[in-house]
Amino acid sequence: MGFAPWRWLLALCLRLLFLVPAGVPVRSGDAGFPKAMDNVTVRQGESAILRCTVDSRVTRVAWLNRSTILYTGNDKWSIDPRVVLLAYTKSQYSIEIQNVDIYDEGPYTCSVQTDNHPKTSRVHLIVQVPPRIVEISSDIAVNEGSNVSLTCIAGGRPEPVVNWRYLSPKAHGFVSEDEYLEITGITREQSGQYECSAANDVSAPDVRRVQVTVNYAPYILDAQNIGAPLGHKGILQCQASAMPAADFYWYKEDKRLSESRRRVKVENREALSRVTFFNVSEQDYGNYTCVAMNRLGHSNASVILYGPGAVHDGNSGSPQCLYHAPLSILPFFTLLSLLFPLAEF
């Protein structure tokens, strides 16, 4: 089933209208017609209304998108169901494009025929797209001192502005006004969440977050000398910072404390280790070593359990001996545990 001959002729005439100089564009402020809006700006997914002002001298009128005819009078030529005729009166000829998408953006032309003189008026459809982050780095874990690169790619119209911000209890601020964030020699203090924001004023910014975990060897924060009378309870504590969390080991001289020993309980938590003596005896007094260890290294501190009147260094709150060792060196106390089985003393 084909088109009627007059429709083919009309289509040819309308297309030639944009190729032959005989078509005279209407100027802004021209008393003639048609008159259309200069620009129409809509958001993606909304409807765009294209209006053309006419009068009783018009004999034929049409809307075109570039060289494609959308409507001529009441007749729809477009096969797009989203394009509908909104008004065809003596003063206005308007169409509506529903659920607008990016590919709808561009020039639209209102063409009229009057007194055998064709005239045109153009309107440019601008489609705005809310910002959307389409690619972002995954959560990562790195060793302290490493270089870190984070990426955040976003799309939208107009092109969104991308910012990286470090979220920390101590500092909330922009660290990069770019899609890429580079951190050289990252420290443990820079561990946490990094937020990427993409904004273009079309809608609320699109926000995503990346968790950056910084691994580091244990560092003992607190280990104090403790005094306890005979027959009473005595508690030694050792607190360490580490990522991943440290494993704790306690030694007295060259012997590792056994958790199964009577009257003694060893409790290890994420950052704290505690040795409880429920009924202190003479053999319990002395120097103990707390060792905190993870796969990146270890640290140790000496603490003293002393009785009344004993001479000691006092409870200064500072470890008496601290050191860190890389994994390439077998920790001394690990070697001891291999040479000497767990033993009570």
Side-chain angles (χ1 to χ4, degrees):
M1 179 178 178
F3 287 108
W6 69 269
R7 298 192 70 173
W8 286 109
L9 180 60
L10 176 60
L12 178 62
C13 292
L14 287 170
R15 289 190 171 111
L16 288 174
L17 180 62
F18 302 101
L19 300 176
V20 181
V24 181
V26 165
R27 300 184 301 274
S28 178
D30 193 341
F33 50 84
K35 293 181 180 179
M37 300 170 283
D38 292 332
N39 289 320
V40 174
T41 301
V42 295
R43 294 181 182 180
Q44 185 181 39
E46 295 181 345
S47 294
I49 299 175
L50 309 181
R51 295 185 176 90
C52 184
T53 302
V54 297
D55 66 17
S56 58
R57 291 175 291 173
V58 174
T59 57
R60 293 187 183 278
V61 63
W63 269 106
L64 298 90
N65 178 12
R66 298 178 177 87
S67 61
T68 302
I69 303 173
L70 302 178
Y71 265 94
T72 59
N74 286 312
D75 295 327
K76 182 176 181 179
W77 287 56
S78 171
I79 61 173
D80 191 337
R82 300 175 304 124
V83 180
V84 297
L85 182 63
L86 199 63
Y88 183 21
T89 66
K90 294 181 179 181
S91 61
Q92 185 181 130
Y93 186 56
S94 303
I95 62 173
E96 180 182 39
I97 305 174
Q98 301 169 346
N99 193 24
V100 169
D101 211 336
I102 298 173
Y103 52 78
D104 295 316
E105 186 170 279
Y108 290 78
T109 304
C110 176
S111 174
V112 301
Q113 181 75 23
T114 175
D115 300 330
N116 296 321
H117 295 293
K119 293 185 178 181
T120 64
S121 181
R122 292 194 177 187
V123 57
H124 196 88
L125 178 61
I126 300 173
V127 180
Q128 293 183 330
V129 180
R132 187 170 71 90
I133 295 173
V134 296
E135 180 183 342
I136 191 169
S137 299
S138 302
D139 295 345
I140 59 171
V142 297
N143 294 341
E144 189 170 33
S146 301
N147 297 331
V148 175
S149 297
L150 300 180
T151 302
C152 182
I153 306 299
R157 291 188 178 206
E159 184 177 352
V161 175
V162 177
N163 285 304
W164 277 102
R165 187 170 63 144
Y166 175 48
L167 303 181
S168 165
K170 296 181 180 179
H172 285 256
F174 290 101
V175 292
S176 175
E177 296 183 356
D178 195 0
E179 296 174 338
Y180 305 98
L181 173 61
E182 302 288 340
I183 305 174
T184 303
I186 194 168
T187 66
R188 66 192 69 178
E189 290 78 16
Q190 293 173 300
S191 179
Q193 288 192 330
Y194 288 79
E195 180 182 89
C196 174
S197 173
N200 65 1
D201 295 329
V202 176
S203 64
D206 191 16
V207 177
R208 302 273 293 277
R209 293 179 179 179
V210 176
Q211 178 69 38
V212 177
T213 302
V214 179
N215 296 323
Y216 56 94
Y219 178 80
I220 293 183
L221 302 173
D222 183 39
Q224 296 186 359
N225 299 329
I226 297 294
L230 288 171
H232 288 71
K233 181 187 291 186
I235 299 176
L236 298 179
Q237 291 191 147
C238 181
Q239 185 177 4
S241 175
M243 182 59 66
D247 294 322
F248 290 92
Y249 304 93
W250 286 89
Y251 294 85
K252 186 179 182 185
E253 299 176 355
D254 59 351
K255 297 178 181 178
R256 180 177 163 187
L257 268 65
S258 169
E259 296 183 9
S260 61
R261 184 186 173 197
R262 291 176 300 174
R263 301 181 296 104
V264 177
K265 182 179 181 181
V266 179
E267 299 175 279
N268 292 326
R269 299 179 183 176
E270 183 175 352
L272 178 68
S273 182
R274 176 183 298 170
V275 179
T276 303
F277 300 87
F278 293 99
N279 185 13
V280 175
S281 64
E282 284 287 352
Q283 66 175 355
D284 293 328
Y285 293 134
N287 185 71
Y288 291 81
T289 301
C290 169
V291 179
M293 183 185 305
N294 68 9
R295 59 182 176 81
L296 298 178
H298 71 276
S299 178
N300 73 287
S302 294
V303 292
I304 298 174
L305 178 66
Y306 60 89
V311 178
H312 59 88
D313 293 334
N315 295 337
S316 62
S318 300
Q320 296 179 345
C321 176
L322 291 174
Y323 69 90
H324 299 273
L327 288 179
S328 59
I329 301 176
L330 184 63
F332 173 71
F333 292 102
T334 303
L335 180 60
L336 285 180
S337 65
L338 295 174
L339 296 175
F340 300 97
L342 293 178
E344 296 185 1
F345 53 88

